[in-house]
Amino acid sequence: MKKYFLFVSILFLLANSPDNNNSQEKQDIISPSKLVANDFMVVSAHPLATQAGYNILAKGGNAIDAAIAVQMVLNVVEPYASGIGGGGFLLYYDAKKNKSTYYNGREKAPKNINPKVFLDKKGQKKTFHEALKGGVSVGVPGILKILSSAHQKHGKLPWFELFYDAINTASLGYKVTPRIYKKINNIAHIAEFPETSGLFFNEQLHPKEISETIINNDLANTFRNIAVNGIDDFYHGNLAKKIVTAVKDSPINPGYLELTDLAEYNITTGDLICMAYRKYNICSMPMPSGGVTLLQILGILENFDLAQMDPDSVEAIHVISEAIRLAFADRNKYSADPDFVEVPVKSLLDKEYLKERSFLINVDAALIKVTPGEFSDLSIDKKLVASKPIEEPPSTTHISIIDKEGNAVSFTSSIEYSFGSGITVDGFLLNNQLTDFSFIDTENGQLVANSVAGQKRPRSSMSPTFVFDQTGKLELIVGSPGGARIISYVLKTIIAVLDWQVPVNDAIELPNFNKMFDQLEIENKSYLVDYKDLLERIGHQVTIRDLTSGIHAIHITEDGIMAGVDNRIEGNALGN
């Protein structure tokens, strides 16, 4: 039976290979967004990826099938953001069982990594850009593990069918868009890796121009292998050997990855972490994601009547940003891989604790100093010290999907910085997720929770989320890229839809703002810029900057399935 499946798989891939399909133009069609549907919907960061998901759903595949097809095409057309060389968090809602499950594919540090790896010879922290390049920042990738596991348990269509659009797109090529052109021109370190620059630079060694074609035959062949043979080669075979060699023999910052790290890599699955918010139940990804911080902010804000505040008001911006700042104080002290650190999640999400935190917010003045909460009954409180991360760049991607049976996926994935570590292996980029660890392991004799350790997963801000109504019905699917600011982007959308009853697409288009630390960041070229003086008068230190989210959401309403697409990037939605 296995031989028969393999034979059929090969026939399918050959019959649908680019050599037998002369429609190059097909890959360049940019389909308009369809924002309302009745049966199913898919939203992603690129029209070709969205189309791939639509194709799977239209032929009878389910949400997991579509998520795999979308992710593989994103690996081709959005290579700077995510792919099989990275990791992610996937939430799956099984409509028939009315049950949600998470799949944690966050990268792990190699087991033999040096805890001082991001310090220089003088014991000082390296800069982010010194640390990210080359093999030293590469964690064990988890994307293929979670997608394969989710497909084995929930998938409907054969695995190999889910790769056709990605193989076709990689082989025929895709056009350079303004977004990828900007990325290629702005991310300097890719020029230091010939295998990577060869993909994105022309024969004159200049970045490819808008509308030039990028072809990635190596990636197409990698996908053909995985489509027919599964993921074993990636974690145990020849491809695993290539990955390890590329990391350990990197001419820049050689790393610690071994074959055993890939062979022993495991994902985790389980129940989402949920909290009641007004009449809703908000469910997100557990540690080490940004889900707990997202729920904390909502728990603080539940003590304010946001519905009575104008979404465009200084009052709303002030109260929400103060809640963000309070929750981030806790995040910087406690958030980490729960397999290595006892994270006091129950205490952090306790409603009485969050109510006490809300009392710290003065509606007329910004807080001068914010400290993390203290939990006297936990020995952990005396062992950990807050540590501000060195940098969390605004990369990553998010996919939201619902199929005709009501099954849903909220899936955020990443290779961390744009173009990750810069290392390309057989057409795909390897992540630099280990720079999400704190660069120091102790401070003043106290342990930093998110310090580097072998087989530990670094803290993440990725926050894929489901929202259920008071009857338990799935109402909202949401997530975003954006580094540490992911949490505030997802928060903004949830508040706008639930508290202010704003249509989901309009909710996404509301200006972004964020206050993780002392600075209140407001989105450049938005109307919030006009509020700068008013916000400064009540004590905020205001910074105007680009806040490029990529929020993709689906709102299930009585009037149909409503898609939300972030116009700050090149995403779109398609449904039926």
Side-chain angles (χ1 to χ4, degrees), residues 5-15 160 228:
F5 174 80
L6 179 60
F7 176 71
V8 172
S9 302
I10 294 170
L11 284 180
F12 176 86
L13 290 171
L14 288 174
F160 64 85
V228 173

Side-chain angles (χ1 to χ4, degrees), residues 23 36 185 199 271 280 306 322 344 424 433 440:
S23 179
V36 184
N185 277 269
L199 284 171
D271 295 332
Y280 303 95
L306 295 181
E322 293 291 84
T424 295
Q433 295 286 10
I440 57 173

Side-chain angles (χ1 to χ4, degrees), residues 451-462:
S451 56
V452 179
Q455 297 187 305
K456 187 177 182 180
R457 303 180 197 267
R459 180 175 65 197
S460 173
S461 298
M462 296 187 291

Side-chain angles (χ1 to χ4, degrees), residues 45 78 81 179 183 328 331 391-398 412-418 436 460-463 479-490 512-514 516 521 545-552 566 568-569:
E78 202 189 29
R179 187 166 182 239
K183 293 284 187 180
F328 263 81
R331 177 180 186 264
E391 187 167 346
E392 289 190 61
S395 190
T396 309
T397 198
H398 181 79
T412 311
S413 62
S414 181
I415 57 172
E416 218 271 291
Y417 191 59
S418 293
D436 273 350
S460 173
S461 298
M462 296 187 291
S463 306
S480 178
R485 297 166 184 84
I486 287 172
I487 296 166
S488 62
Y489 297 155
V490 174
N512 289 323
F513 61 93
N514 181 63
M516 298 179 292
E521 302 172 336
R545 57 169 295 163
D546 292 335
L547 293 173
T548 306
S549 53
I551 307 162
H552 294 135
D566 200 326
R568 297 170 182 86
I569 61 172

Side-chain angles (χ1 to χ4, degrees), residues 172-245:
L172 294 176
Y174 61 97
K175 300 295 187 185
V176 175
T177 62
R179 187 166 182 239
I180 193 170
Y181 175 78
K182 182 178 179 181
K183 293 284 187 180
I184 296 170
N185 277 269
N186 290 348
I187 307 301
H189 76 282
I190 61 174
E192 301 179 51
F193 297 88
E195 299 88 353
T196 303
S197 60
L199 284 171
F200 306 112
F201 287 56
N202 57 29
E203 293 179 355
Q204 290 73 42
L205 301 180
H206 296 140
K208 290 190 175 182
E209 300 288 339
I210 294 172
S211 294
E212 282 195 72
T213 299
I214 295 175
I215 293 174
N216 192 339
N217 282 316
D218 287 342
L219 184 57
N221 288 330
T222 297
F223 282 158
R224 288 188 183 101
N225 176 18
I226 294 169
V228 173
N229 300 310
I231 68 171
D232 191 63
D233 192 37
F234 189 96
Y235 290 97
H236 302 276
N238 189 52
L239 186 51
K241 293 176 183 177
K242 289 182 179 181
I243 293 169
V244 170
T245 298

Side-chain angles (χ1 to χ4, degrees), residues 63-104:
I64 288 292
D65 297 328
I68 295 166
V70 172
Q71 175 64 78
M72 295 309 152
V73 174
L74 286 175
N75 195 155
V76 181
V77 299
E78 202 189 29
Y80 48 83
S82 71
I84 62 174
F89 301 132
L90 185 150
L91 311 186
Y92 176 67
Y93 172 69
D94 187 318
K96 188 174 182 180
K97 295 180 180 179
N98 191 28
K99 179 175 175 58
S100 299
T101 305
Y102 73 77
Y103 288 81
N104 177 359

